[in-house]
Every structure is written in C-alpha cells, then in structure tokens.
Amino acid sequence: MAGNWKMNGTSTRCVELAHAVRAASDGVAAQVIVAPPATSLAVVSGVFAGSPVGIAGQNIHWAASGAFTGEIAPGMVAEYAGFVLVGHSERRQLFGETDDDTNRKVHAAFDHGLAPIICVGETAAQRAAGATDTTVAGQLFAATDGITAVEVERIMIAYEPVWSIGTGAACDPAEAGRVAGLVRGSLEVAFGPGAGDVRILYGGSVGPANVRGYLAHEDVDGALVGGASLDPAAFGALVRAADEAA
Ligand code: PGA
C-alpha cells in the first residue's frame, strides 16, 4: 500500500503523518510505502528508522549531479529512500515529462540503488479512442527499455488511468485488473518468466470504500493512493485492507 503525499505538507505535518503511518503499519504483513515531498524525506526517514515502512521519492532528475537548478538528483533521494516514483501522470501532463525522460530516470534510479515505481495510464481521450492498451504498453516498454531481467524484478508498476486521478471517478476493478494483467503479460514476454512476479498497483481515487475490489483481482497487488493517503484514518484503513489481502 503506497501513499503519494504529492506537494502537501510542511516537515511538521509530514512527521505527524509519518507517525500515524508507522503506528498503522505495526505488525502488518503488507508492504507499506510513503512518498513524502522531497523537503521532508530526511525527517520522515527518521520517523521510520527501524520500521519496515518504505520511503519513496516522488521524482528524480536523471543526471547524477550538476547545473540543474531546482532538480533533485537520484543520489540525494537515495540517502533517505529505497524507491522513487517515475513517470507519474502529473509529471507527464503538467511538466512535460516524456517517455524518454521516464526511461532515463528508471536507469538513473537503478544506478543509485533506488527501485522505480513506474506509473503508466491513459487519458480519457485515449480511452475514448480505444487506445488504452496501446498507450499503457507503449509507456511500459519505453520506461523499461534497456533494463535487465534482474532489474525488472525490482520495479513496481502503477496502473493509473489519468481520468481517475484525484477525480473520484475510480476505474471499474475488473477493468483495472484487466489492464494490470496486460502489464504483467507484456513484461513476461519482454523479460521472461521472472517478470511475472512484478508487483502491480492500481491508482486513481482509491479509498477505504473501494480498495478491496482492486486487491481482490489476482493481477492487482496493491494500490498507489494520493488524496486518501493524507488522511491518517483512511490510510490506516487502506493498510489494514492490504494486510487482509496479504
Ligand atoms: P488519488 O491520486 O488517489 O488522489 O486519485 C492517485 C495518484 O496520483 O497516485
């Protein structure tokens, strides 16, 4: 169960939230991950010291260092986090991130010991045009181009239909599962049977009331949650649902 806090929370607020997540995750079998804003990675990693909760960056630049004002290098995130979101639709839609950029970031993540959580998903227009599967497969193959069969086992894929993110219009669980299955099958074809175990998350308006529908599908291993991850009670309920499913 992964919570993406997006651009929310001062350090003080993030520490409070992290304490609540730590308490909710105590003793659960499911893997829990939070993605705080970069300015709170250090303090949040302090809260999770000695806990199995994983920490993710929300974005990285692909270069190791240099004259890139305002960007965050992979090694800076890796000081505090084991994971990094790559290719979130907000990066793609609002900041012009391309498939090539996501691929560079995936390689940069591996170079610095970070496991990428690669986000893919179609827009409403692409779905209406019947291009869901080609869009998702195209983003998937572009992002993973050139990675090894060993590396592929460390990635996670988040299938997040763009039209469902932050809108309350959650995807039908059967359809989310169908696309997750397509992702799994495509990775197996491209990378071999080991890629069949890649963890696949659904994301888009997930909350305590609908999460079980997604987790019940054999190809959906978890969820990437935005809005509801900022509410400690809701995220606690999501962690419990993931624990039951695990
Ligand atoms: P949401 O965001 O849960 O607020 O729809 C999901 C995401 O962007 O990962």
Side-chain angles (χ1 to χ4, degrees):
M1 185 58 55
N4 173 10
W5 298 351
K6 306 193 179 182
M7 197 177 73
N8 295 289
T10 58
S11 299
T12 308
R13 176 67 190 134
C14 288
V15 164
E16 283 169 13
L17 210 44
H19 278 294
V21 173
R22 181 165 180 154
S25 306
D26 190 34
V28 306
Q31 179 166 26
V32 179
I33 298 174
V34 295
T39 49
S40 293
L41 281 171
V43 286
V44 165
S45 75
V47 174
F48 290 123
S51 131
V53 174
I55 301 175
Q58 295 180 10
N59 181 37
I60 48 171
H61 193 272
W62 53 81
S65 64
F68 300 102
T69 301
E71 291 292 316
I72 300 166
M76 297 172 185
V77 170
E79 277 190 283
Y80 307 108
F83 302 88
V84 63
L85 302 180
V86 177
H88 189 280
S89 68
E90 286 151 16
R91 300 298 319 166
R92 296 179 191 261
Q93 304 257 303
L94 304 174
F95 302 101
E97 193 164 304
T98 66
D99 280 341
D100 279 352
D101 295 339
T102 63
N103 182 248
R104 287 190 196 99
K105 292 179 182 196
V106 166
H107 285 284
F110 282 125
D111 289 347
H112 292 84
L114 292 165
I117 302 172
I118 300 169
C119 304
V120 297
E122 82 289 355
T123 63
Q126 286 163 331
R127 174 163 286 268
T132 297
D133 296 5
T134 50
T135 301
V136 168
Q139 291 175 345
L140 181 68
F141 288 133
T144 56
D145 189 43
I147 70 172
T148 67
V150 174
E151 287 172 336
V152 78
E153 294 182 27
R154 295 187 53 219
I155 66 173
M156 287 187 217
I157 304 293
Y159 168 55
E160 302 202 299
V162 177
W163 46 269
S164 76
I165 294 178
T167 60
C171 185
D172 173 59
E175 173 61 7
R178 184 192 71 79
V179 180
L182 172 85
V183 167
R184 196 180 299 288
S186 303
L187 289 172
E188 276 178 314
V189 169
F191 293 97
D197 294 330
V198 165
R199 282 171 294 174
I200 301 176
L201 314 178
Y202 167 74
S205 298
V206 173
N210 64 13
V211 70
R212 286 179 178 78
Y214 299 108
L215 298 177
H217 196 286
E218 59 175 357
D219 281 315
V220 178
D221 302 304
L224 178 56
V225 183
S229 73
L230 296 170
D231 173 351
F235 196 67
L238 291 168
V239 168
R240 283 194 296 281
D243 192 39
E244 285 163 23

